[in-house]
Every structure is written in structure tokens, then in C-alpha cells.
Amino acid sequence: MEKSINQRYVLTEPILPMLSGMLYSGKDLPLRRDVVFFVVESTDEAAKEAYIRKLREVAPLSDNRFLHILDVGMEPNYIFAVLKTFDGKPFIQELKGHRFTPEEAVSKVLELGKGLMDALEEGISGCSVHAANLWLSDDGQLKIINYWEKGTHAQRGAQGLGCLLYQILTRSESIPVSFDTMEHRLREALAAIPHAEQELLIATLRRVWNDQETLASFMLVLQSLRQDTAVKQEVSMPVWDRQVREKTQPERAYEEEEPVEEEEEAPPRRSLGRAGRKLLVGTAIACLGGAAAFVWLGKDQEEPSGKGASPAQTEHHAPLQLPHQTYDKPAGPEIVETNDSNPNQAEDEIVIVPNLIGLQNDTAGKQAMAAGLRFEFAMEVNEREEGTVFKQEPAAQTQVPKGTRVKYWVSKGTQQ
């Protein structure tokens, strides 16, 4: 089919039926470029005017995780929005055959979550992140098609992202009505990943399903999972390569083994802004907690086969019981512990406790490790800036045996 609009645009063929309209491919004749059209049929003039206003309200959003609105208009029987196109196709058409690994699926969902946070800053919220409302570009990026209409509760926000992660992992177009059904399919889809990660991800998705995670807190968990990709790659290195590396670098400090942050796959043109900056502060917190939750995997697998596990290694399974923040319980301190930086350290060596008060959480943890100490931290409401240490035990300048655990408290800000 070919249908001309205002002697400028030509609709060529339908691509995908959407909830309230139809997606068409087409061309912008004066600019000689391919575009996508979102067309909604209507003859009600008042309804068309209201819909046009809605489109124009969100049109300034230029985040690369959304299909940008280039133009809007009305015809006697319909409304149309001209969207910037990318090489690719609707994700729903590729859902059953995609080749994303679980790590890549987490990364895709995390990037969309960042886009939702940016959109919130622009006053745009509630759009659907169901697979049927996403475009998959040829470079593997997911982009939201319709962001001016509200999705259902299970399609938007944290729960929407959780359901999308389920869809990607299980290659399923539909969402089960109960989480028990979801869990069964998730375990099948995640059978190849380490058990600890599997348990953490499923437990997190259960909290998301029960509305016990906010969008920001869910993204922190996803960020910590993505940060552990570098750790897993180190663990998967052949044993001979690791042994050679250990011989050439026998004295590597614990902090040098921290995974290097991955580069963003497709950096947005806009900065994360105020909400994004707050997220990044929290991300640093989650990265330390996430590394603690999984570092035992690397330590277990780095031992050559046939060597028995020591008691210290057995204790590394404790992070499976790390508490996760929920929102259906009375507020209380959230505790995160690190693993022992070196179980074989001499306990009789005396070190000085550094002053951690006033530092950012990630910096405080590194200072503690640099001093030869272990650490744990709790997050509480406090007048200090969010992410800043406001109390510690033992006090600064105290002399303690090397390997002593230092506890410090990190501010959540004045509001929870």
C-alpha cells in the first residue's frame, strides 16, 4: 500500500499492530529518509486534539532509548506521529529467536531503566516496556516506541522491567499470572549460570513482582549483576593462564582485583541528569555489595581441581543471605558486608583505622581495604548528603589488628 500525507509523507506498509494504533513504514519525501509512522484512527475532533497535545508534550524527549518524535499531524480519519527510524525491526518479532545471553539481557533492561529515569526528569512516566512496545535496532539496542501512553501496572516501571527481563530470558511473549509459574520457567532459562546469581536474580524479580522494589533499587541490583561480568570472565580464564598470571603478579592487592566498569553500549546524547546522578551514587553502593555477593564464585573456581576447600572458602557462601531492601517492612538499617580481603593475613599485625567520615561510600570501602581492614556498612536516613559516611566504628586513628572489620554508616539523605 502507499498513502500520501500532506504531500510530504508516504506510508508504505504496515509493520506491527499496536495497542491503540498501527505502526507503518514510510518515507519523508523532502528529506529523502525512511521514517516510521504511528497511526491512530479517529473521527472525534476533540479526541484527536487531546491526542495531539499528548504527543506534543513528549516530543522534546531526545533520549536515544526512545524513538524520537519528528512530527505530528491530523487527517480527517486519523492522527499520525512521525518517528525516527533505525535499521532493525519490532523486538516482538525477534523475541523467540534472539541470542542475548543472560548477562546481555540484564544489560539491555538496565539501559532501558536508565532511559525511564531520564524520562521521569522530563515529566514522562508510565510508558510500557513490554516487548511488544520495543524496537530492536541492528546494533542490538532496545528502544521504546510509544512513550506517550500509559502501560498497565505489569508493563511499566520496575515491574514492567522485571517482566521484560522475564520475556527476554524465556523468549516468551506472554506474562504468567503468578510468579511461581514465572520462577519455574526462569530456572529453566537460567540453568547454565552460577547458582548464586540465579538465586539472587530470581529473589529480586520476586520482590519486583510483589511491588517491594522501586525502579531505582531494582536498577541497582541489575547494575551490580552487570558489574560482576568482569569477575566472571576472570574466573572463566583457563587454569594454566591464571597460574602464569599469578606467578607474574604474586602480590596483587585486593582492590586491584575489582572489576573494571564496562563502557556503556550506546551512551545517550543526554546526561543522566539529577535523577541519574542520584542513581550513580547508589550504583557505587550496589557495586560493592554486588561484588561481595559473587566474589566467592571466583575464589572457589580459581583453586586447581582436586584441592579441598578451606573453612574460609566455605564461609564465602554466606552472601546468599545478604539482606535486600524491601518496602513492606518497617524501615531499618540495611547492612552490607564484604568478604575477607585475605583470609591468611596475620592477625597480630597492628594498623591504624583511617577516618572515613565525610567520604563517599565507595571511597570509604577502598580506604578501609587499603589500610588492611575488612568492612561492612549500613544505610540510614541522615542529614548528610546521600551516599556520604556519617559515622564509623572503631573511631579514626584507633590501633587495631590487621584484618579487623570496620563498620560505617552511609546516609540515605533526609527522605527515604
Side-chain angles (χ1 to χ4, degrees):
M1 62 161 286
E2 280 202 7
K3 184 177 180 65
S4 178
I5 302 176
N6 295 338
Q7 297 183 340
R8 173 172 180 172
Y9 302 114
V10 173
L11 275 66
T12 53
E13 60 182 354
I15 301 175
L16 181 73
M18 305 286 286
L19 181 63
S20 61
M22 176 69 74
L23 208 62
Y24 290 87
S25 61
K27 294 185 179 295
D28 183 337
L29 298 177
L31 297 179
R32 298 180 180 180
R33 62 181 176 181
D34 292 330
V35 291
V36 172
F37 293 88
F38 189 92
V39 178
V40 179
E41 295 184 0
S42 176
T43 56
D44 186 324
E45 291 300 319
K48 288 195 293 184
E49 289 287 350
Y51 202 91
I52 287 290
R53 285 196 299 272
K54 189 187 304 183
L55 287 168
R56 286 174 175 159
E57 285 175 359
V58 303
L61 183 65
S62 59
D63 193 294
N64 281 337
R65 289 157 290 209
F66 299 79
L67 295 188
H68 306 158
I69 297 177
L70 304 175
D71 192 13
V72 298
M74 286 191 298
E75 291 291 305
N77 297 321
Y78 59 87
I79 307 154
F80 67 91
V82 184
L83 308 176
K84 180 178 179 180
T85 189
F86 296 84
D87 291 337
K89 60 180 63 177
F91 182 47
I92 197 71
Q93 296 176 0
E94 292 290 313
L95 182 60
K96 292 186 180 297
H98 78 76
R99 297 182 179 180
F100 295 147
T101 64
E103 291 84 359
E104 289 171 333
V106 167
S107 183
K108 305 300 180 191
V109 172
L110 176 62
E111 288 304 311
L112 282 180
K114 291 179 180 179
L116 294 182
M117 294 289 286
D118 276 354
L120 280 172
E121 258 189 38
E122 304 295 331
I124 301 168
S125 64
C127 61
S128 170
V129 288
H130 188 278
N133 191 39
L134 300 178
W135 185 272
L136 176 64
S137 60
D138 283 349
D139 62 358
Q141 302 304 305
L142 293 177
K143 302 175 186 293
I144 297 173
I145 300 172
N146 179 339
Y147 47 98
W148 52 90
E149 293 183 302
K150 303 290 185 183
T152 65
H153 181 70
Q155 296 174 343
R156 62 178 186 255
Q159 190 167 107
L161 289 175
C163 289
L164 173 62
L165 184 55
Y166 166 83
Q167 287 185 288
I168 298 175
L169 292 172
T170 64
R171 296 175 171 82
S172 174
E173 293 185 11
S174 60
I175 306 295
V177 296
S178 73
F179 188 81
D180 289 341
T181 304
M182 290 180 67
E183 181 176 351
H184 176 72
R185 295 203 59 189
L186 282 169
R187 291 192 182 280
E188 292 179 345
L190 298 172
I193 75 171
H195 180 72
E197 291 186 37
Q198 183 182 135
E199 292 299 322
L200 176 62
L201 188 54
I202 290 175
T204 301
L205 289 175
R206 180 179 289 277
R207 292 196 304 276
V208 169
W209 180 266
N210 292 326
D211 290 326
Q212 294 172 343
E213 294 279 3
T214 64
L215 174 59
S217 65
F218 181 39
M219 289 176 63
L220 293 180
V221 176
L222 296 183
Q223 180 71 44
S224 70
L225 286 169
R226 189 170 76 169
Q227 287 296 119
D228 286 318
T229 300
V231 175
K232 288 181 291 183
Q233 290 173 346
E234 174 76 15
V235 169
S236 64
M237 183 185 298
V239 173
W240 184 86
D241 288 348
R242 289 202 303 272
Q243 290 173 340
V244 170
R245 189 168 176 179
E246 288 167 1
K247 289 178 181 178
T248 58
Q249 297 176 327
E251 299 298 330
R252 291 181 67 191
Y254 180 87
E255 57 269 30
E256 294 175 345
E257 296 177 354
E258 292 181 351
V260 179
E261 291 186 1
E262 298 178 1
E263 293 182 357
E264 295 294 337
E265 294 179 7
R269 295 187 300 180
R270 300 172 56 252
S271 67
L272 285 177
R274 186 170 53 258
R277 286 192 296 273
K278 291 182 179 178
L279 171 68
L280 291 178
V281 172
T283 296
I285 298 172
C287 291
L288 290 170
F294 293 110
V295 73
W296 66 271
L297 289 172
K299 290 186 181 295
D300 283 348
Q301 297 183 36
E302 284 179 358
E303 292 295 335
S305 58
K307 184 175 181 179
S310 68
Q313 290 172 321
T314 304
E315 293 174 359
H316 286 156
H317 291 275
L320 290 179
Q321 278 72 47
L322 280 174
H324 295 282
Q325 186 175 1
T326 60
Y327 299 90
D328 59 344
K329 299 179 181 179
E334 177 185 349
I335 305 296
V336 180
E337 271 187 34
T338 62
N339 289 325
D340 296 352
S341 59
N342 185 349
N344 299 320
Q345 287 175 341
E347 294 295 330
D348 56 352
E349 184 178 345
I350 301 300
V351 297
I352 304 297
V353 177
N355 183 17
L356 307 179
I357 295 175
L359 300 179
Q360 291 294 306
N361 181 43
D362 56 341
T363 304
K366 290 178 181 178
Q367 290 276 9
M369 288 191 294
L373 303 170
R374 293 176 288 161
F375 70 92
E376 66 180 69
F377 65 87
M379 298 185 66
E380 294 183 356
V381 175
N382 188 267
E383 294 179 354
R384 278 193 179 254
E385 181 183 356
E386 182 179 356
T388 303
V389 177
F390 64 89
K391 185 172 67 172
Q392 73 177 75
E393 291 180 359
Q397 305 307 314
T398 302
Q399 295 186 0
V400 296
K402 189 173 183 179
T404 296
R405 188 182 305 279
V406 174
K407 180 177 180 181
Y408 60 86
W409 284 259
V410 180
S411 174
K412 287 184 178 181
T414 56
Q415 295 182 354
Q416 295 191 45

